[in-house]
Amino acid sequence: MNEKPLVLKKATLGGGCFWCLEAAYQKVRGVKKVVSGYAGGHTKNPEYQEVCSGITGHAEVIQIDYDENILSYEDLLAIFWKIHDPTQKDGQGGDLGTQYRSVILYHKEDQKSAAEKSIAEHALNFARPIVTELNPLTIFYKAEKNHQNYYNTNPDQPYCSSVISPKLLKMEKNLGDFLA
């Protein structure tokens, strides 16, 4: 049996509420773990209420551990462009504020190059310019326990049923090849 060894890599993305991105990427083949958190701000050890106020400068993000033998960084970005609106500045739908901005936080220069290429390629698919920020990841703060695996533990919560569930249905329809 010539099974390839697990090659874990990390990616950090923000595209609105972290609950939405977390729920979406948990369904992707090759994703081993998704952690909701905060990055891109100036306050050490921020808490949810502080981030929501906009005073910390952080974005709600997810950090993804994925098996590079199954899924590439470019695949993660292709999914990213399909599951949020990268042309909406500082928000997604009704979630407004800098904490909901679209952002790619690269871990290494190869991720930066891949992201730049992906932005250029996918810009042609949108009527408005992509406003997604591209920045180096300096530090990732894991969000509080009640924000982890949120959709799966709260599927009947109104936000989950009215915002996340429709996104997941759309994802299943449009990105079936990537799903586990």
Side-chain angles (χ1 to χ4, degrees), residues 53-90:
S53 74
I55 63 170
T56 70
H58 288 89
E60 289 190 11
V61 299
I62 58 167
Q63 194 158 80
I64 305 165
D65 287 354
Y66 65 99
D67 183 348
E68 192 175 51
N69 281 327
I70 298 171
L71 186 71
S72 70
Y73 185 70
E74 290 79 5
D75 291 335
L76 290 173
L77 294 176
I79 295 165
F80 182 66
W81 304 124
K82 297 272 189 188
I83 61 174
H84 87 296
D85 179 0
T87 68
Q88 183 179 352
K89 180 128 175 83
D90 295 337

Side-chain angles (χ1 to χ4, degrees), residues 18-19 22 36 38 48 143-150:
F18 49 29
W19 300 336
E22 177 190 64
S36 291
Y38 316 110
Y48 183 72
E144 298 81 353
K145 186 177 180 180
N146 61 309
H147 294 293
Q148 305 303 323
N149 199 32
Y150 192 83

Side-chain angles (χ1 to χ4, degrees), residues 16 20 22 30 33 62 79 85 92 103 109 151 160 175 177:
C20 293
E22 177 190 64
K33 184 168 108 178
I62 58 167
I79 295 165
D85 179 0
Q92 288 295 296
V103 61
E109 287 300 312
Y151 176 79
C160 292
L175 294 168
D177 291 347

